[in-house]
């Protein structure tokens, strides 16, 4: 269903008119198309080309970067993490640990896109910080309120996703409906093939792309910290019967021991806390357990 998604020129933030567009995006959609983000298109193209080259390699080559260690899946490498009762979505993935830096193992990253990914990760952090400062200002918090939560133990990971052609697109999702659990997600979407949809007011909308743009999503953690002022975007990926699709998601969060709770400065007698407290690592585990049942962990947090 067509409806124009918010477009924010983040290079102009915190200009008042651009901040107003950002507010609408965060309160109504939970995501926006980011333009003028400062990352060269040549780098975006190099990353996508390298990712596509990797997924077009024979299975034997891809499995050299497997996430399996002695038959047990880990949270980095090639392959999907599935619980025993989880239905399989129609996609393939490389999961990369970006931060904390001492957990980053570049030797295990596919060489097809290793250099481009490392540079892209650094540039994406600049977008994360600029957007989070603008978000804090909109909530009348200290400008670095959210940025300060991202310590040297904060978790950042990348997911390089491949959605092959699906012979039964009406029977399986590329990715089931969900919202991201971390603070924000920066997504580099396929510029040629669509498939991403976002839910707003109970309806699903196709997410378009502007060449050279990025998508920025609000995650559950930020919804909780903002006490619901900003909404985490519920989204899904539908499959294509003919063409494959690539995307690169950068998930920015806090460290696992950080307690997720509304910022005290956004609460008062007329605005009580709408979410209970929980450690991040426990919250993320809850997401994994509920995902296969099409349930959202954040709904269990509401007071």
């Amino acid at each position: 269903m067509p409806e124009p998604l918010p477009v924010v020129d983040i290079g102009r933030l915190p200009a008042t008119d651009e901040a107003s567009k950002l507010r609408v995006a965060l309160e109504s959609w939970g995501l926006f198309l980011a333009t003028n983000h400062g990352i060269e298109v040549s780098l975006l193209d190099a990353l996508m080309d390298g990712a596509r080259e990797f997924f077009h390699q024979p299975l034997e080559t891809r499995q050299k970067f497997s996430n399996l260690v002695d038959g047990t899946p880990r949270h980095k490498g090639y392959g999907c993490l599935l619980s025993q009762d989880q239905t399989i979505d129609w996609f393939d993935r490389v999961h990369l640990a970006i931060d904390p830096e001492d957990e980053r193992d570049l030797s295990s990253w596919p060489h097809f896109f290793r250099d481009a990914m490392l540079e892209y990760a650094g540039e994406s952090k600049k977008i994360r910080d600029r957007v989070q400062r603008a978000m804090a200002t909109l909530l009348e918090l200290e400008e670095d309120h959210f940025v300060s939560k991202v310590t040297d133990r904060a978790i950042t990971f990348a997911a390089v996703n491949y959605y092959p052609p699906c012979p039964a697109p009406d029977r399986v999702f590329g990715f089931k409906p969900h919202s991201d659990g971390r603070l924000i997600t920066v997504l580099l979407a396929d510029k040629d093939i669509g498939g991403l949809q976002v839910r707003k007011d109970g309806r699903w909308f196709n997410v378009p792309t502007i060449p050279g743009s990025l998508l920025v999503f609000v995650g559950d953690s930020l919804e909780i910290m903002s006490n619901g002022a900003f909404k985490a975007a519920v989204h899904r990926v539908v499959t294509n019967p003919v063409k494959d699709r690539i995307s690169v998601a950068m998930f920015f969060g806090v460290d696992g021991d950080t307690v997720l709770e509304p910022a005290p400065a956004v609460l008062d007698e007329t605005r009580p806390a709408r979410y209970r407290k929980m450690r991040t690592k426990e919250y993320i585990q809850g997401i994994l357990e509920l995902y296969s049942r099409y349930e959202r962990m954040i709904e269990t947090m509401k007071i």
Side-chain angles (χ1 to χ4, degrees), residues 49-83:
D49 291 345
R52 193 176 301 277
E53 182 181 2
F54 170 77
F55 285 110
H56 285 176
Q57 295 299 307
L59 179 60
E60 180 182 1
T61 300
R62 285 177 277 143
Q63 287 183 331
K64 292 178 181 179
F65 305 94
S66 173
N67 66 350
L68 296 177
V69 177
D70 297 327
T72 301
R74 54 182 180 162
H75 285 269
K76 53 186 175 181
Y78 169 68
C80 295
L81 291 169
L82 297 172
S83 61

Side-chain angles (χ1 to χ4, degrees), residues 67-273:
N67 66 350
L68 296 177
V69 177
D70 297 327
T72 301
R74 54 182 180 162
H75 285 269
K76 53 186 175 181
Y78 169 68
C80 295
L81 291 169
L82 297 172
S83 61
Q84 290 184 349
D85 62 344
Q86 186 168 320
T87 56
I88 298 176
D89 292 325
W90 196 264
F91 78 107
D92 214 354
R93 166 177 282 188
V94 178
H95 191 283
L96 303 174
I98 307 294
D99 291 316
E101 191 169 344
D102 59 7
E103 296 181 11
R104 184 191 305 166
D105 181 11
L106 293 179
S107 65
S108 69
W109 292 19
H111 59 273
F112 300 92
F113 55 79
R114 180 188 301 137
D115 292 345
M117 175 61 80
L118 188 60
E119 183 178 355
Y120 176 72
E123 293 299 316
S124 295
K125 290 177 184 178
K126 298 175 185 177
I127 295 174
R128 173 199 66 191
D129 292 348
R130 179 182 286 271
V131 171
Q132 287 188 153
R133 288 191 174 101
M135 290 175 170
T137 300
L138 289 174
L139 293 174
E140 299 182 354
L141 300 171
E142 292 293 328
E143 184 183 54
D144 284 340
H145 177 83
F146 295 123
V147 173
S148 67
K149 304 295 183 184
V150 182
T151 66
D152 61 356
R153 303 310 299 169
I155 295 172
T156 301
F157 67 91
V160 186
N161 304 306
Y162 176 70
Y163 303 92
C166 179
D170 57 333
R171 297 176 58 187
V172 63
F173 285 114
F175 217 112
K176 285 189 288 294
H178 67 287
S179 56
D180 298 333
R182 308 291 176 175
L183 288 170
I184 66 171
T185 303
V186 176
L187 181 75
L188 172 58
D190 197 306
K191 62 183 180 182
D192 297 316
I193 305 299
L196 179 64
Q197 296 180 334
V198 62
R199 191 173 70 197
K200 179 178 181 287
D201 300 329
R203 297 181 295 168
W204 288 101
F205 296 89
N206 292 323
V207 177
T209 57
I210 298 174
S213 68
L214 297 168
L215 285 158
V216 179
F217 294 75
V218 174
D220 290 354
S221 297
L222 195 57
E223 177 174 330
I224 293 169
M225 291 179 177
S226 71
N227 202 36
F230 303 150
K231 306 299 183 184
V234 177
H235 52 290
R236 67 185 184 186
V237 177
V238 296
T239 53
N240 189 297
V242 178
K243 297 181 179 180
D244 60 2
R245 180 176 176 272
I246 296 280
S247 70
V248 178
M250 194 72 65
F251 301 93
F252 294 106
V254 293
D255 74 82
D257 289 323
T258 295
V259 175
L260 295 177
E261 61 181 323
V266 302
L267 305 178
D268 56 32
E269 293 183 356
T270 62
R271 297 179 299 176

Side-chain angles (χ1 to χ4, degrees), residues 1 19 27 30 33 55 101 115 132 134 136 139 151 158 170 198 208 214 267 276-277 283 285 288-289 299 302:
M1 185 173 297
E27 294 178 348
L33 283 161
F55 285 110
E101 191 169 344
D115 292 345
Q132 287 188 153
L139 293 174
T151 66
D170 57 333
V198 62
L214 297 168
L267 305 178
R276 59 191 178 91
K277 303 178 183 180
Y283 184 82
Q285 183 58 41
L288 297 175
E289 293 172 357
E299 295 299 325
K302 294 180 178 179

